[in-house]
Amino acid sequence: MKWMPLLPEAYFFLAAFVFFVLALVPPSGPRRHHLLALFLTAGGLIISLGAMGEDGLFFSQVYRLDLFSQLFKFMLAAGVFLIVCLCDDLQGIPKDRHPEFYFLLILGTLAMMILVSAVELLTLYVALELTSYCLYLLVPLRRGYGIHQEAGIKYFLIGISTSAIMLFGLALLYGAAQTTYLAGLLKVLPHMMGSPMVFIGLLFTLSGFFFKLAFFPFHLWAPNVYQGAANQVTAFIATSTKVAAIAILLRLVALSGSGSRPLVPILVILAIASMTLGNLVALVQQDLKRLLGYSAIAHAGYVFIGILTMSEKGYAGAIFYAMAYLAMNFLCFLVVVKRAGDGQNLKITQLAGLHQRSPLLAMALLLGFFSLGGLPPTIGFTGKFLIFLAAMEKGYFYLVLIAMINVVVSLYYYALVVKAAYFLEPEKNLPPIPLSWPTRLLIVVMVIINVGGGLFPAFFYGLAQAAARLVV
């Protein structure tokens, strides 16, 4: 068996092992831990990019490498690298726990990489559980803010309940198809979707990934966990886990084939509920991370419009949206982390005077939230346009109309955030926010990606189309 195609997974395993060892020895200083994590995740990003062209089936055909999985692995590697870039001043996590923090961050990324390559039900389940347990431990690592324990317990309880439902769904699928391989299920499921056993089994199986995506009705954990976790942990949950969930939901829905019409009305109702509930509740939020949590619930609905079209164009739109969501959500959390230098949660009103204290951060916030809102010429606009176009071609006019109304609603609360940064005056004079030159460079690069990806989407969309062809 060739091992070179598996180099990204092997590399991230070794990187996680390094921090596992560091967690067992006396602390050597947070600065050294951060630089080491930065170096290791940058190496992982380069290796993941180099492995983009690899393909093949491994480990008795339970593990598949193709452009689809390699593209998502690159996004995951980029996600963890970007999050580590925000950890130069890791507030909220005790200094003697930094090795555990980086260990769980990298191990969680490895688990998600396995998840997007798994083409067998038990492998999928084990990878999802490994991802979940890393996150269950990362959330309560925060200290000194009083809400981390409640968030951690709520996340764990909802997570294990969803896991039980998912496991029941997997058992039903196995009972109906007598195979745990996705390739085997692909042959029989499209002809068995009329069976209640298969229908319920697939729906229950999807629920595990609905939970990760914070998709209605498995969204209840999102606002509390977003608020309770350290800012960098919330950024990780809000970016990387969403990318992995989109990948596997796309693969599983594609598995059911175009003949699975009974599933579509349910997915449509859930997408509408997710968009509407997320946006309406976000309107009254004052805590910025809770607002982004409800925004994530709404965006899960937008992504699902592309997935439920069950067409190559819809899948390509969803993959492009995963890239866009990673870029625009990271830009918003970058501002949250740098503005809340002490690790506290931010109220929207605390952004007052941001344009005076740091014009660069204010511009990043404006572009990040405009991109989330889908305003041109940002990458968020192009992502929504591609998804809505695919849905229109499939005849889902009413769904696109409802989504557009939701986009307008979301613009109101995104505008409130931008208004606070540019038009509200702080109650007292505050000093400028210091930004290091690497942070300034990172902001500029992310701004270029957010605008460049919207104006010139051909390269990213071409990649998304090529990946989508592999799951149709």
Side-chain angles (χ1 to χ4, degrees), residues 134-209:
C134 289
L135 300 177
Y136 297 154
L137 293 171
L138 275 171
V139 172
L141 268 184
R142 194 186 200 190
R143 292 289 184 275
Y145 299 92
I147 48 179
H148 60 281
Q149 290 178 336
E150 179 191 340
I153 291 170
K154 187 175 284 187
Y155 194 26
F156 177 69
L157 291 178
I158 297 176
I160 58 171
S161 303
T162 310
S163 176
I165 294 172
M166 182 187 173
L167 194 58
F168 184 55
L170 293 176
L172 289 177
L173 286 183
Y174 175 72
Q178 295 297 306
T179 180
T180 58
Y181 285 82
L182 295 190
L185 292 169
L186 184 63
K187 293 176 184 172
V188 296
L189 280 193
H191 310 294
M192 299 175 67
M193 286 304 294
S195 161
M197 185 175 177
V198 172
F199 180 72
I200 294 172
L202 188 59
L203 203 56
F204 280 14
T205 301
L206 290 175
S207 67
F209 305 101

Side-chain angles (χ1 to χ4, degrees), residues 32-370:
R32 288 184 181 179
H33 293 147
H34 176 247
L35 289 176
L36 181 60
L38 204 56
F39 174 75
L40 289 174
T41 51
L45 182 63
I46 294 168
I47 289 173
S48 300
L49 181 61
M52 284 279 282
E54 300 290 348
D55 57 16
L57 283 165
F58 298 85
F59 309 121
S60 302
Q61 301 188 344
V62 304
Y63 201 76
R64 181 175 178 178
L65 300 183
D66 52 21
L67 181 62
F68 177 82
S69 61
Q70 300 299 77
L71 178 60
F72 274 95
K73 277 182 207 171
F74 176 71
M75 284 192 258
L76 292 170
V80 72
F81 171 71
L82 292 172
I83 299 303
V84 171
C85 287
L86 299 181
C87 298
D88 54 336
D89 187 17
L90 188 53
Q91 297 291 332
I93 308 290
K95 290 181 180 176
D96 60 343
R97 291 282 178 261
H98 284 196
E100 286 93 332
F101 169 80
Y102 292 119
F103 167 69
L104 292 170
L105 209 61
I106 295 171
L107 186 65
T109 302
L110 172 63
M112 286 186 275
M113 286 184 166
I114 296 171
L115 189 67
V116 300
S117 268
V119 288
E120 194 265 344
L121 294 181
L122 286 179
T123 314
L124 271 175
Y125 181 74
V126 171
L128 183 67
E129 287 301 287
L130 182 58
T131 307
S132 299
Y133 278 89
C134 289
L135 300 177
Y136 297 154
L137 293 171
L138 275 171
V139 172
L141 268 184
R142 194 186 200 190
R143 292 289 184 275
Y145 299 92
I147 48 179
H148 60 281
Q149 290 178 336
E150 179 191 340
I153 291 170
K154 187 175 284 187
Y155 194 26
F156 177 69
L157 291 178
I158 297 176
I160 58 171
S161 303
T162 310
S163 176
I165 294 172
M166 182 187 173
L167 194 58
F168 184 55
L170 293 176
L172 289 177
L173 286 183
Y174 175 72
Q178 295 297 306
T179 180
T180 58
Y181 285 82
L182 295 190
L185 292 169
L186 184 63
K187 293 176 184 172
V188 296
L189 280 193
H191 310 294
M192 299 175 67
M193 286 304 294
S195 161
M197 185 175 177
V198 172
F199 180 72
I200 294 172
L202 188 59
L203 203 56
F204 280 14
T205 301
L206 290 175
S207 67
F209 305 101
F210 289 168
F211 169 74
K212 281 285 164 284
L213 197 58
F215 191 63
F216 180 88
F218 299 95
H219 64 283
L220 295 173
W221 60 272
N224 290 324
V225 170
Y226 273 50
Q227 187 181 17
N231 292 338
Q232 287 85 350
V233 173
T234 306
F236 182 63
I237 293 171
T239 52
S240 293
T241 62
K242 306 301 180 205
V243 167
I246 290 170
I248 203 63
L249 274 170
L250 210 156
R251 203 189 275 278
L252 285 177
V253 172
L255 175 76
S256 60
S258 57
S260 59
R261 291 300 148 207
L263 195 62
V264 173
I266 293 176
L267 297 180
V268 168
I269 292 169
L270 293 181
I272 292 172
S274 198
M275 286 185 291
T276 308
L277 184 139
N279 282 320
L280 290 181
V281 182
L283 286 172
V284 296
Q285 300 304 313
Q286 294 302 313
D287 185 286
L288 194 52
K289 286 201 296 180
R290 282 187 73 86
L291 182 146
L292 286 167
Y294 281 107
S295 165
I297 296 167
H299 280 272
Y302 300 143
V303 171
F304 230 83
I305 293 176
I307 295 176
L308 63 83
T309 60
M310 298 181 182
S311 66
E312 182 184 318
K313 192 168 277 189
Y315 294 157
I319 295 170
F320 184 90
Y321 204 82
M323 299 181 205
Y325 192 70
L326 180 68
M328 57 194 180
N329 221 21
F330 175 78
L331 196 55
C332 295
F333 273 97
L334 187 155
V335 178
V336 171
V337 171
K338 294 303 172 187
R339 168 58 185 84
D342 55 359
Q344 293 277 2
N345 289 347
L346 279 181
K347 301 287 184 190
I348 294 175
T349 52
Q350 288 178 287
L351 293 170
L354 183 65
H355 74 290
Q356 295 167 334
R357 302 182 63 199
S358 175
L360 191 60
L361 274 185
M363 182 193 66
L365 180 131
L366 183 142
L367 276 172
F369 276 90
F370 276 11

